[in-house]
Amino acid sequence: MTTLTYGPITACQICGSNDLRSVLFLGYLPPVNTMQTIGTAHDKQEWFPAEILRCPECSLVQLGYAADPNVLFPPDYPYRSGTTRILRENFADLQREAKALLGLTNKDLIIDIGSNDGTLLKNFLDGGNRVLGVEPSLNAKLAEDMGVETKMTFFGSSVVEPILKSHGKAKVITAANVFAHIHGLDGIMKSIVALLEDDGVFISESHYLLDLLTTVQYDTIYHEHLRHYSVTSLRFLLERYGLTIFHAKRIPTHGGSIRVYASKSKRAVNASVAAMLKEEEEAGLQGDAWVKPFRDRVLHSKLALYELLTKIKSSGKRIYAISAPSRASTLVNYVGLDDGIIDCVLEIQGSKKIGKYMPGRHIPVLDEAKLYQDQPEYALLLSWHIGAELMPNLKKRGFKGDFIVPLPEPRIMKNASFI
Ligand code: SAM
């Protein structure tokens, strides 16, 4: 077994090619979930290079630096799947779809990698399946409280034997918004294959490269995201381990993701697979024609946002930002926003981020109630990818100002559009 090392990535994470080409370098960024407590003296912290690279061999777009997962995913990792409506609905849909496609029975074991608070697996548990989560953070305890059995550890080769002994093989292994996050793909893939039954199925959900490119989602570039998958690069990866993609579809999570089914045994391949591969080919993902226009759009978008915000601030108006998802850390750090431009970031009551500073910044994260008390002129949507849901909700709760949507192109959305 090779020991994993963290640091610069010099060989493609899928095919091993050393011919990696730079797409975009955002500078150095702090880990998105390392937030210092308001009122304590600022301590030193690590920043890591944030460059994405393209592999011309297998077309994987990937980060150029692997940070230590113990830094990225500490026990008090604040993300909770169950707090986002779109994720709850997506996981209910995943269970319905998997059940219909695979004809699951009560004997079947479903393992979820990165199971977080158990939101995904609860659907399978309620559907009558046996379930097991693998999750290193303390969110595992929330899953256990719901009856979702969870191993509180990182998924990898060390969990294979214990799981085979205690639970046997799995009919389905799911990995939602985590399959792009784990360093050491070879070990992960071998572990998945070893844990799957002969007719078992691996279902991954990952943020989609095509959506990243078309809607300029540079804010999804951070150290948890080691790989930005397309169906093309996923097929290349999965086939190396004997898994065949038989169904793929777009799903709305995280500003645009893909759900991909791959099996060990032969299954009829849904037309969706060829359709998505064709769309990616037409978008030129296998070549490099997209690189320069994408880089230009990112720069243009950053400059336009900075200009818009500084104009507003120079006229004496207040800008409060709404919500502090991981991607907000990249946006504020890359664009260079500080507490002179954004007065504060607001999170809903109960968020573990309240009372902290934004990573790498002096911008305080406070309770959303402040928005309705202070009525700033503008609310900058850092969760812009769920803006259609967010804006009417903020209006209903009493916000009277206008919205600033930062991406893909910064723009002001007037109050009246949401009433
Ligand atoms: N799957 C959930 C979802 O889609 O909402 C959680 C996604 S969250 C971005 C990533 C989760 O994977 C975190 O809960 C993190 O602690 C966990 N994680 C990170 N590395 C892991 C690993 N090697 N094995 C298992 N879980 C891991």
PDB file of all heavy atoms in Angstrom, residues 20-25 51-56 59-62 209 212-213 216 221 283-299:
ATOM      1  N   LEU A  20       0.285  18.004 -16.992  1.00  0.00           N
ATOM      2  CA  LEU A  20      -0.867  18.766 -16.506  1.00  0.00           C
ATOM      3  C   LEU A  20      -0.715  20.226 -16.919  1.00  0.00           C
ATOM      4  O   LEU A  20       0.350  20.816 -16.755  1.00  0.00           O
ATOM      5  CB  LEU A  20      -0.980  18.647 -14.979  1.00  0.00           C
ATOM      6  CG  LEU A  20      -1.258  17.234 -14.460  1.00  0.00           C
ATOM      7  CD1 LEU A  20      -1.281  17.210 -12.941  1.00  0.00           C
ATOM      8  CD2 LEU A  20      -2.578  16.711 -15.011  1.00  0.00           C
ATOM      9  N   ARG A  21      -1.802  20.791 -17.450  1.00  0.00           N
ATOM     10  CA  ARG A  21      -1.735  22.179 -17.975  1.00  0.00           C
ATOM     11  C   ARG A  21      -2.588  23.119 -17.116  1.00  0.00           C
ATOM     12  O   ARG A  21      -3.721  22.793 -16.784  1.00  0.00           O
ATOM     13  CB  ARG A  21      -2.288  22.211 -19.407  1.00  0.00           C
ATOM     14  CG  ARG A  21      -1.839  21.052 -20.279  1.00  0.00           C
ATOM     15  CD  ARG A  21      -0.756  21.471 -21.236  1.00  0.00           C
ATOM     16  NE  ARG A  21      -0.226  20.307 -21.940  1.00  0.00           N
ATOM     17  CZ  ARG A  21      -0.526  19.994 -23.202  1.00  0.00           C
ATOM     18  NH1 ARG A  21      -1.382  20.741 -23.895  1.00  0.00           N
ATOM     19  NH2 ARG A  21       0.025  18.937 -23.777  1.00  0.00           N
ATOM     20  N   SER A  22      -2.059  24.283 -16.831  1.00  0.00           N
ATOM     21  CA  SER A  22      -2.764  25.233 -15.967  1.00  0.00           C
ATOM     22  C   SER A  22      -4.009  25.795 -16.661  1.00  0.00           C
ATOM     23  O   SER A  22      -3.969  26.185 -17.823  1.00  0.00           O
ATOM     24  CB  SER A  22      -1.832  26.385 -15.590  1.00  0.00           C
ATOM     25  OG  SER A  22      -2.501  27.263 -14.720  1.00  0.00           O
ATOM     26  N   VAL A  23      -5.115  25.826 -15.927  1.00  0.00           N
ATOM     27  CA  VAL A  23      -6.335  26.461 -16.433  1.00  0.00           C
ATOM     28  C   VAL A  23      -6.472  27.837 -15.798  1.00  0.00           C
ATOM     29  O   VAL A  23      -6.682  28.838 -16.481  1.00  0.00           O
ATOM     30  CB  VAL A  23      -7.579  25.602 -16.090  1.00  0.00           C
ATOM     31  CG1 VAL A  23      -8.866  26.364 -16.397  1.00  0.00           C
ATOM     32  CG2 VAL A  23      -7.547  24.282 -16.838  1.00  0.00           C
ATOM     33  N   LEU A  24      -6.328  27.895 -14.480  1.00  0.00           N
ATOM     34  CA  LEU A  24      -6.614  29.131 -13.745  1.00  0.00           C
ATOM     35  C   LEU A  24      -5.941  29.060 -12.390  1.00  0.00           C
ATOM     36  O   LEU A  24      -5.995  28.019 -11.724  1.00  0.00           O
ATOM     37  CB  LEU A  24      -8.141  29.205 -13.559  1.00  0.00           C
ATOM     38  CG  LEU A  24      -8.739  30.380 -12.846  1.00  0.00           C
ATOM     39  CD1 LEU A  24      -8.581  31.642 -13.702  1.00  0.00           C
ATOM     40  CD2 LEU A  24     -10.230  30.141 -12.600  1.00  0.00           C
ATOM     41  N   PHE A  25      -5.326  30.142 -11.971  1.00  0.00           N
ATOM     42  CA  PHE A  25      -4.704  30.204 -10.650  1.00  0.00           C
ATOM     43  C   PHE A  25      -5.363  31.340  -9.871  1.00  0.00           C
ATOM     44  O   PHE A  25      -5.262  32.502 -10.246  1.00  0.00           O
ATOM     45  CB  PHE A  25      -3.198  30.445 -10.807  1.00  0.00           C
ATOM     46  CG  PHE A  25      -2.440  30.380  -9.503  1.00  0.00           C
ATOM     47  CD1 PHE A  25      -2.633  29.335  -8.612  1.00  0.00           C
ATOM     48  CD2 PHE A  25      -1.517  31.366  -9.161  1.00  0.00           C
ATOM     49  CE1 PHE A  25      -1.933  29.264  -7.413  1.00  0.00           C
ATOM     50  CE2 PHE A  25      -0.812  31.308  -7.958  1.00  0.00           C
ATOM     51  CZ  PHE A  25      -1.018  30.245  -7.087  1.00  0.00           C
ATOM     52  N   GLU A  51      -4.971  26.413  -7.692  1.00  0.00           N
ATOM     53  CA  GLU A  51      -4.830  26.418  -9.145  1.00  0.00           C
ATOM     54  C   GLU A  51      -5.577  25.208  -9.684  1.00  0.00           C
ATOM     55  O   GLU A  51      -5.507  24.123  -9.081  1.00  0.00           O
ATOM     56  CB  GLU A  51      -3.345  26.300  -9.535  1.00  0.00           C
ATOM     57  CG  GLU A  51      -3.123  26.324 -11.043  1.00  0.00           C
ATOM     58  CD  GLU A  51      -1.648  26.272 -11.428  1.00  0.00           C
ATOM     59  OE1 GLU A  51      -0.843  25.723 -10.639  1.00  0.00           O
ATOM     60  OE2 GLU A  51      -1.310  26.778 -12.504  1.00  0.00           O
ATOM     61  N   ILE A  52      -6.310  25.376 -10.784  1.00  0.00           N
ATOM     62  CA  ILE A  52      -6.868  24.175 -11.403  1.00  0.00           C
ATOM     63  C   ILE A  52      -6.096  23.863 -12.678  1.00  0.00           C
ATOM     64  O   ILE A  52      -5.650  24.765 -13.409  1.00  0.00           O
ATOM     65  CB  ILE A  52      -8.403  24.206 -11.627  1.00  0.00           C
ATOM     66  CG1 ILE A  52      -8.840  25.448 -12.371  1.00  0.00           C
ATOM     67  CG2 ILE A  52      -9.153  24.029 -10.330  1.00  0.00           C
ATOM     68  CD1 ILE A  52     -10.297  25.361 -12.848  1.00  0.00           C
ATOM     69  N   LEU A  53      -5.955  22.563 -12.904  1.00  0.00           N
ATOM     70  CA  LEU A  53      -5.150  22.047 -14.002  1.00  0.00           C
ATOM     71  C   LEU A  53      -6.015  21.128 -14.853  1.00  0.00           C
ATOM     72  O   LEU A  53      -6.981  20.541 -14.364  1.00  0.00           O
ATOM     73  CB  LEU A  53      -3.978  21.217 -13.438  1.00  0.00           C
ATOM     74  CG  LEU A  53      -3.149  21.848 -12.316  1.00  0.00           C
ATOM     75  CD1 LEU A  53      -2.243  20.801 -11.679  1.00  0.00           C
ATOM     76  CD2 LEU A  53      -2.312  22.994 -12.884  1.00  0.00           C
ATOM     77  N   ARG A  54      -5.602  20.980 -16.105  1.00  0.00           N
ATOM     78  CA  ARG A  54      -6.336  20.105 -17.020  1.00  0.00           C
ATOM     79  C   ARG A  54      -5.394  19.009 -17.503  1.00  0.00           C
ATOM     80  O   ARG A  54      -4.221  19.269 -17.788  1.00  0.00           O
ATOM     81  CB  ARG A  54      -6.791  20.941 -18.223  1.00  0.00           C
ATOM     82  CG  ARG A  54      -7.643  20.242 -19.237  1.00  0.00           C
ATOM     83  CD  ARG A  54      -7.956  21.193 -20.387  1.00  0.00           C
ATOM     84  NE  ARG A  54      -6.789  21.463 -21.199  1.00  0.00           N
ATOM     85  CZ  ARG A  54      -6.361  20.662 -22.182  1.00  0.00           C
ATOM     86  NH1 ARG A  54      -7.016  19.557 -22.488  1.00  0.00           N
ATOM     87  NH2 ARG A  54      -5.276  20.961 -22.870  1.00  0.00           N
ATOM     88  N   CYS A  55      -5.930  17.780 -17.546  1.00  0.00           N
ATOM     89  CA  CYS A  55      -5.121  16.681 -18.072  1.00  0.00           C
ATOM     90  C   CYS A  55      -5.559  16.405 -19.515  1.00  0.00           C
ATOM     91  O   CYS A  55      -6.698  15.997 -19.754  1.00  0.00           O
ATOM     92  CB  CYS A  55      -5.309  15.425 -17.233  1.00  0.00           C
ATOM     93  SG  CYS A  55      -4.483  13.989 -17.964  1.00  0.00           S
ATOM     94  N   PRO A  56      -4.680  16.605 -20.494  1.00  0.00           N
ATOM     95  CA  PRO A  56      -5.072  16.374 -21.889  1.00  0.00           C
ATOM     96  C   PRO A  56      -5.322  14.895 -22.194  1.00  0.00           C
ATOM     97  O   PRO A  56      -6.034  14.577 -23.146  1.00  0.00           O
ATOM     98  CB  PRO A  56      -3.873  16.878 -22.696  1.00  0.00           C
ATOM     99  CG  PRO A  56      -2.998  17.604 -21.745  1.00  0.00           C
ATOM    100  CD  PRO A  56      -3.303  17.115 -20.379  1.00  0.00           C
ATOM    101  N   SER A  59      -8.780  14.215 -19.712  1.00  0.00           N
ATOM    102  CA  SER A  59      -9.601  15.429 -19.645  1.00  0.00           C
ATOM    103  C   SER A  59     -10.078  15.790 -18.231  1.00  0.00           C
ATOM    104  O   SER A  59     -10.945  16.649 -18.067  1.00  0.00           O
ATOM    105  CB  SER A  59     -10.767  15.400 -20.644  1.00  0.00           C
ATOM    106  OG  SER A  59     -11.864  14.730 -20.146  1.00  0.00           O
ATOM    107  N   LEU A  60      -9.483  15.166 -17.207  1.00  0.00           N
ATOM    108  CA  LEU A  60      -9.870  15.551 -15.842  1.00  0.00           C
ATOM    109  C   LEU A  60      -9.368  16.963 -15.528  1.00  0.00           C
ATOM    110  O   LEU A  60      -8.202  17.282 -15.753  1.00  0.00           O
ATOM    111  CB  LEU A  60      -9.272  14.568 -14.813  1.00  0.00           C
ATOM    112  CG  LEU A  60      -9.578  14.930 -13.351  1.00  0.00           C
ATOM    113  CD1 LEU A  60     -11.071  14.770 -13.042  1.00  0.00           C
ATOM    114  CD2 LEU A  60      -8.745  14.095 -12.376  1.00  0.00           C
ATOM    115  N   VAL A  61     -10.288  17.770 -14.985  1.00  0.00           N
ATOM    116  CA  VAL A  61      -9.902  19.087 -14.463  1.00  0.00           C
ATOM    117  C   VAL A  61      -9.737  18.922 -12.958  1.00  0.00           C
ATOM    118  O   VAL A  61     -10.607  18.353 -12.287  1.00  0.00           O
ATOM    119  CB  VAL A  61     -10.973  20.140 -14.817  1.00  0.00           C
ATOM    120  CG1 VAL A  61     -10.668  21.469 -14.145  1.00  0.00           C
ATOM    121  CG2 VAL A  61     -11.029  20.320 -16.333  1.00  0.00           C
ATOM    122  N   GLN A  62      -8.613  19.355 -12.436  1.00  0.00           N
ATOM    123  CA  GLN A  62      -8.290  19.011 -11.045  1.00  0.00           C
ATOM    124  C   GLN A  62      -7.492  20.102 -10.370  1.00  0.00           C
ATOM    125  O   GLN A  62      -6.875  20.944 -11.025  1.00  0.00           O
ATOM    126  CB  GLN A  62      -7.495  17.717 -11.019  1.00  0.00           C
ATOM    127  CG  GLN A  62      -6.232  17.761 -11.866  1.00  0.00           C
ATOM    128  CD  GLN A  62      -5.749  16.360 -12.236  1.00  0.00           C
ATOM    129  OE1 GLN A  62      -5.287  15.633 -11.376  1.00  0.00           O
ATOM    130  NE2 GLN A  62      -5.872  15.997 -13.507  1.00  0.00           N
ATOM    131  N   LEU A 209     -18.582  19.783 -14.074  1.00  0.00           N
ATOM    132  CA  LEU A 209     -17.633  20.683 -14.746  1.00  0.00           C
ATOM    133  C   LEU A 209     -18.322  21.602 -15.751  1.00  0.00           C
ATOM    134  O   LEU A 209     -18.020  22.795 -15.836  1.00  0.00           O
ATOM    135  CB  LEU A 209     -16.538  19.863 -15.444  1.00  0.00           C
ATOM    136  CG  LEU A 209     -15.540  20.681 -16.259  1.00  0.00           C
ATOM    137  CD1 LEU A 209     -14.721  21.614 -15.373  1.00  0.00           C
ATOM    138  CD2 LEU A 209     -14.605  19.774 -17.053  1.00  0.00           C
ATOM    139  N   LEU A 212     -19.892  24.381 -14.000  1.00  0.00           N
ATOM    140  CA  LEU A 212     -18.848  25.278 -13.485  1.00  0.00           C
ATOM    141  C   LEU A 212     -18.406  26.239 -14.589  1.00  0.00           C
ATOM    142  O   LEU A 212     -18.284  27.438 -14.379  1.00  0.00           O
ATOM    143  CB  LEU A 212     -17.658  24.451 -12.984  1.00  0.00           C
ATOM    144  CG  LEU A 212     -16.550  25.167 -12.202  1.00  0.00           C
ATOM    145  CD1 LEU A 212     -15.696  24.146 -11.446  1.00  0.00           C
ATOM    146  CD2 LEU A 212     -15.637  26.006 -13.047  1.00  0.00           C
ATOM    147  N   LEU A 213     -18.219  25.686 -15.785  1.00  0.00           N
ATOM    148  CA  LEU A 213     -17.701  26.507 -16.883  1.00  0.00           C
ATOM    149  C   LEU A 213     -18.755  27.464 -17.424  1.00  0.00           C
ATOM    150  O   LEU A 213     -18.478  28.648 -17.631  1.00  0.00           O
ATOM    151  CB  LEU A 213     -17.191  25.613 -18.019  1.00  0.00           C
ATOM    152  CG  LEU A 213     -16.045  24.661 -17.641  1.00  0.00           C
ATOM    153  CD1 LEU A 213     -15.603  23.858 -18.852  1.00  0.00           C
ATOM    154  CD2 LEU A 213     -14.860  25.423 -17.053  1.00  0.00           C
ATOM    155  N   VAL A 216     -19.625  30.147 -14.790  1.00  0.00           N
ATOM    156  CA  VAL A 216     -18.460  30.819 -14.184  1.00  0.00           C
ATOM    157  C   VAL A 216     -18.366  30.592 -12.671  1.00  0.00           C
ATOM    158  O   VAL A 216     -18.128  31.523 -11.901  1.00  0.00           O
ATOM    159  CB  VAL A 216     -18.471  32.341 -14.496  1.00  0.00           C
ATOM    160  CG1 VAL A 216     -17.085  32.939 -14.295  1.00  0.00           C
ATOM    161  CG2 VAL A 216     -18.916  32.605 -15.897  1.00  0.00           C
ATOM    162  N   ILE A 221     -14.091  26.521  -6.609  1.00  0.00           N
ATOM    163  CA  ILE A 221     -12.692  26.061  -6.584  1.00  0.00           C
ATOM    164  C   ILE A 221     -12.135  26.299  -5.179  1.00  0.00           C
ATOM    165  O   ILE A 221     -11.969  27.444  -4.752  1.00  0.00           O
ATOM    166  CB  ILE A 221     -11.847  26.810  -7.648  1.00  0.00           C
ATOM    167  CG1 ILE A 221     -12.397  26.525  -9.040  1.00  0.00           C
ATOM    168  CG2 ILE A 221     -10.369  26.416  -7.537  1.00  0.00           C
ATOM    169  CD1 ILE A 221     -11.775  27.362 -10.149  1.00  0.00           C
ATOM    170  N   ALA A 283     -19.165  20.524 -26.343  1.00  0.00           N
ATOM    171  CA  ALA A 283     -18.676  21.675 -25.560  1.00  0.00           C
ATOM    172  C   ALA A 283     -17.150  21.740 -25.590  1.00  0.00           C
ATOM    173  O   ALA A 283     -16.550  22.669 -25.036  1.00  0.00           O
ATOM    174  CB  ALA A 283     -19.170  21.565 -24.119  1.00  0.00           C
ATOM    175  N   GLY A 284     -16.525  20.755 -26.202  1.00  0.00           N
ATOM    176  CA  GLY A 284     -15.065  20.777 -26.365  1.00  0.00           C
ATOM    177  C   GLY A 284     -14.287  20.414 -25.118  1.00  0.00           C
ATOM    178  O   GLY A 284     -13.111  20.778 -24.978  1.00  0.00           O
ATOM    179  N   LEU A 285     -14.913  19.680 -24.187  1.00  0.00           N
ATOM    180  CA  LEU A 285     -14.236  19.399 -22.914  1.00  0.00           C
ATOM    181  C   LEU A 285     -12.960  18.578 -23.064  1.00  0.00           C
ATOM    182  O   LEU A 285     -12.097  18.607 -22.193  1.00  0.00           O
ATOM    183  CB  LEU A 285     -15.177  18.668 -21.941  1.00  0.00           C
ATOM    184  CG  LEU A 285     -16.323  19.481 -21.338  1.00  0.00           C
ATOM    185  CD1 LEU A 285     -16.960  18.739 -20.182  1.00  0.00           C
ATOM    186  CD2 LEU A 285     -15.841  20.847 -20.870  1.00  0.00           C
ATOM    187  N   GLN A 286     -12.864  17.811 -24.164  1.00  0.00           N
ATOM    188  CA  GLN A 286     -11.653  17.000 -24.333  1.00  0.00           C
ATOM    189  C   GLN A 286     -10.464  17.825 -24.821  1.00  0.00           C
ATOM    190  O   GLN A 286      -9.326  17.413 -24.680  1.00  0.00           O
ATOM    191  CB  GLN A 286     -11.910  15.826 -25.279  1.00  0.00           C
ATOM    192  CG  GLN A 286     -12.688  14.723 -24.572  1.00  0.00           C
ATOM    193  CD  GLN A 286     -13.478  13.874 -25.532  1.00  0.00           C
ATOM    194  OE1 GLN A 286     -13.786  14.287 -26.647  1.00  0.00           O
ATOM    195  NE2 GLN A 286     -13.823  12.669 -25.099  1.00  0.00           N
ATOM    196  N   GLY A 287     -10.744  18.981 -25.365  1.00  0.00           N
ATOM    197  CA  GLY A 287      -9.655  19.843 -25.841  1.00  0.00           C
ATOM    198  C   GLY A 287      -9.440  21.020 -24.902  1.00  0.00           C
ATOM    199  O   GLY A 287      -9.895  21.002 -23.754  1.00  0.00           O
ATOM    200  N   ASP A 288      -8.749  22.053 -25.408  1.00  0.00           N
ATOM    201  CA  ASP A 288      -8.453  23.179 -24.518  1.00  0.00           C
ATOM    202  C   ASP A 288      -9.049  24.499 -25.014  1.00  0.00           C
ATOM    203  O   ASP A 288      -8.747  25.568 -24.479  1.00  0.00           O
ATOM    204  CB  ASP A 288      -6.941  23.313 -24.321  1.00  0.00           C
ATOM    205  CG  ASP A 288      -6.236  23.645 -25.638  1.00  0.00           C
ATOM    206  OD1 ASP A 288      -6.929  23.720 -26.669  1.00  0.00           O
ATOM    207  OD2 ASP A 288      -5.005  23.809 -25.615  1.00  0.00           O
ATOM    208  N   ALA A 289      -9.948  24.403 -26.035  1.00  0.00           N
ATOM    209  CA  ALA A 289     -10.493  25.647 -26.599  1.00  0.00           C
ATOM    210  C   ALA A 289     -11.308  26.429 -25.559  1.00  0.00           C
ATOM    211  O   ALA A 289     -11.457  27.644 -25.666  1.00  0.00           O
ATOM    212  CB  ALA A 289     -11.362  25.322 -27.814  1.00  0.00           C
ATOM    213  N   TRP A 290     -11.812  25.751 -24.542  1.00  0.00           N
ATOM    214  CA  TRP A 290     -12.642  26.426 -23.543  1.00  0.00           C
ATOM    215  C   TRP A 290     -11.806  27.199 -22.515  1.00  0.00           C
ATOM    216  O   TRP A 290     -12.325  28.064 -21.802  1.00  0.00           O
ATOM    217  CB  TRP A 290     -13.546  25.419 -22.806  1.00  0.00           C
ATOM    218  CG  TRP A 290     -12.799  24.293 -22.137  1.00  0.00           C
ATOM    219  CD1 TRP A 290     -12.485  23.089 -22.667  1.00  0.00           C
ATOM    220  CD2 TRP A 290     -12.260  24.280 -20.795  1.00  0.00           C
ATOM    221  NE1 TRP A 290     -11.796  22.309 -21.766  1.00  0.00           N
ATOM    222  CE2 TRP A 290     -11.648  23.021 -20.599  1.00  0.00           C
ATOM    223  CE3 TRP A 290     -12.249  25.196 -19.743  1.00  0.00           C
ATOM    224  CZ2 TRP A 290     -11.020  22.673 -19.395  1.00  0.00           C
ATOM    225  CZ3 TRP A 290     -11.629  24.852 -18.555  1.00  0.00           C
ATOM    226  CH2 TRP A 290     -11.020  23.603 -18.389  1.00  0.00           C
ATOM    227  N   VAL A 291     -10.514  26.908 -22.429  1.00  0.00           N
ATOM    228  CA  VAL A 291      -9.726  27.406 -21.297  1.00  0.00           C
ATOM    229  C   VAL A 291      -9.617  28.933 -21.284  1.00  0.00           C
ATOM    230  O   VAL A 291      -9.942  29.585 -20.282  1.00  0.00           O
ATOM    231  CB  VAL A 291      -8.315  26.752 -21.276  1.00  0.00           C
ATOM    232  CG1 VAL A 291      -7.432  27.409 -20.227  1.00  0.00           C
ATOM    233  CG2 VAL A 291      -8.440  25.258 -21.010  1.00  0.00           C
ATOM    234  N   LYS A 292      -9.205  29.516 -22.406  1.00  0.00           N
ATOM    235  CA  LYS A 292      -8.989  30.974 -22.401  1.00  0.00           C
ATOM    236  C   LYS A 292     -10.306  31.747 -22.196  1.00  0.00           C
ATOM    237  O   LYS A 292     -10.365  32.655 -21.357  1.00  0.00           O
ATOM    238  CB  LYS A 292      -8.243  31.416 -23.665  1.00  0.00           C
ATOM    239  CG  LYS A 292      -8.010  32.902 -23.648  1.00  0.00           C
ATOM    240  CD  LYS A 292      -6.871  33.374 -24.468  1.00  0.00           C
ATOM    241  CE  LYS A 292      -6.596  34.862 -24.309  1.00  0.00           C
ATOM    242  NZ  LYS A 292      -7.718  35.724 -23.978  1.00  0.00           N
ATOM    243  N   PRO A 293     -11.375  31.395 -22.946  1.00  0.00           N
ATOM    244  CA  PRO A 293     -12.633  32.116 -22.713  1.00  0.00           C
ATOM    245  C   PRO A 293     -13.113  31.997 -21.258  1.00  0.00           C
ATOM    246  O   PRO A 293     -13.608  32.963 -20.688  1.00  0.00           O
ATOM    247  CB  PRO A 293     -13.633  31.415 -23.658  1.00  0.00           C
ATOM    248  CG  PRO A 293     -12.786  30.764 -24.702  1.00  0.00           C
ATOM    249  CD  PRO A 293     -11.467  30.455 -24.077  1.00  0.00           C
ATOM    250  N   PHE A 294     -12.912  30.825 -20.647  1.00  0.00           N
ATOM    251  CA  PHE A 294     -13.325  30.656 -19.248  1.00  0.00           C
ATOM    252  C   PHE A 294     -12.506  31.563 -18.340  1.00  0.00           C
ATOM    253  O   PHE A 294     -13.041  32.284 -17.493  1.00  0.00           O
ATOM    254  CB  PHE A 294     -13.172  29.185 -18.834  1.00  0.00           C
ATOM    255  CG  PHE A 294     -13.392  28.953 -17.355  1.00  0.00           C
ATOM    256  CD1 PHE A 294     -14.641  29.179 -16.778  1.00  0.00           C
ATOM    257  CD2 PHE A 294     -12.354  28.521 -16.541  1.00  0.00           C
ATOM    258  CE1 PHE A 294     -14.846  28.979 -15.415  1.00  0.00           C
ATOM    259  CE2 PHE A 294     -12.546  28.318 -15.178  1.00  0.00           C
ATOM    260  CZ  PHE A 294     -13.797  28.551 -14.615  1.00  0.00           C
ATOM    261  N   ARG A 295     -11.205  31.554 -18.545  1.00  0.00           N
ATOM    262  CA  ARG A 295     -10.328  32.376 -17.712  1.00  0.00           C
ATOM    263  C   ARG A 295     -10.701  33.857 -17.855  1.00  0.00           C
ATOM    264  O   ARG A 295     -10.782  34.588 -16.877  1.00  0.00           O
ATOM    265  CB  ARG A 295      -8.880  32.126 -18.157  1.00  0.00           C
ATOM    266  CG  ARG A 295      -7.875  32.508 -17.106  1.00  0.00           C
ATOM    267  CD  ARG A 295      -6.478  32.418 -17.646  1.00  0.00           C
ATOM    268  NE  ARG A 295      -6.049  31.063 -17.938  1.00  0.00           N
ATOM    269  CZ  ARG A 295      -5.107  30.739 -18.822  1.00  0.00           C
ATOM    270  NH1 ARG A 295      -4.518  31.675 -19.532  1.00  0.00           N
ATOM    271  NH2 ARG A 295      -4.747  29.494 -19.011  1.00  0.00           N
ATOM    272  N   ASP A 296     -10.993  34.269 -19.094  1.00  0.00           N
ATOM    273  CA  ASP A 296     -11.378  35.669 -19.321  1.00  0.00           C
ATOM    274  C   ASP A 296     -12.684  36.007 -18.613  1.00  0.00           C
ATOM    275  O   ASP A 296     -12.838  37.085 -18.039  1.00  0.00           O
ATOM    276  CB  ASP A 296     -11.545  35.943 -20.832  1.00  0.00           C
ATOM    277  CG  ASP A 296     -10.205  35.904 -21.556  1.00  0.00           C
ATOM    278  OD1 ASP A 296      -9.153  35.897 -20.873  1.00  0.00           O
ATOM    279  OD2 ASP A 296     -10.210  35.863 -22.807  1.00  0.00           O
ATOM    280  N   ARG A 297     -13.627  35.084 -18.664  1.00  0.00           N
ATOM    281  CA  ARG A 297     -14.925  35.342 -18.011  1.00  0.00           C
ATOM    282  C   ARG A 297     -14.760  35.459 -16.498  1.00  0.00           C
ATOM    283  O   ARG A 297     -15.406  36.273 -15.850  1.00  0.00           O
ATOM    284  CB  ARG A 297     -15.919  34.224 -18.340  1.00  0.00           C
ATOM    285  CG  ARG A 297     -16.486  34.312 -19.753  1.00  0.00           C
ATOM    286  CD  ARG A 297     -17.555  33.249 -19.957  1.00  0.00           C
ATOM    287  NE  ARG A 297     -18.822  33.593 -19.339  1.00  0.00           N
ATOM    288  CZ  ARG A 297     -19.803  32.730 -19.097  1.00  0.00           C
ATOM    289  NH1 ARG A 297     -19.652  31.459 -19.411  1.00  0.00           N
ATOM    290  NH2 ARG A 297     -20.921  33.119 -18.546  1.00  0.00           N
ATOM    291  N   VAL A 298     -13.888  34.617 -15.926  1.00  0.00           N
ATOM    292  CA  VAL A 298     -13.660  34.675 -14.474  1.00  0.00           C
ATOM    293  C   VAL A 298     -13.093  36.048 -14.098  1.00  0.00           C
ATOM    294  O   VAL A 298     -13.577  36.715 -13.178  1.00  0.00           O
ATOM    295  CB  VAL A 298     -12.707  33.547 -14.014  1.00  0.00           C
ATOM    296  CG1 VAL A 298     -12.292  33.748 -12.557  1.00  0.00           C
ATOM    297  CG2 VAL A 298     -13.376  32.184 -14.189  1.00  0.00           C
ATOM    298  N   LEU A 299     -12.087  36.474 -14.837  1.00  0.00           N
ATOM    299  CA  LEU A 299     -11.448  37.760 -14.516  1.00  0.00           C
ATOM    300  C   LEU A 299     -12.445  38.905 -14.680  1.00  0.00           C
ATOM    301  O   LEU A 299     -12.567  39.777 -13.818  1.00  0.00           O
ATOM    302  CB  LEU A 299     -10.227  37.971 -15.427  1.00  0.00           C
ATOM    303  CG  LEU A 299      -9.502  39.294 -15.188  1.00  0.00           C
ATOM    304  CD1 LEU A 299      -8.930  39.350 -13.777  1.00  0.00           C
ATOM    305  CD2 LEU A 299      -8.388  39.489 -16.213  1.00  0.00           C
TER     306      LEU A 299
END
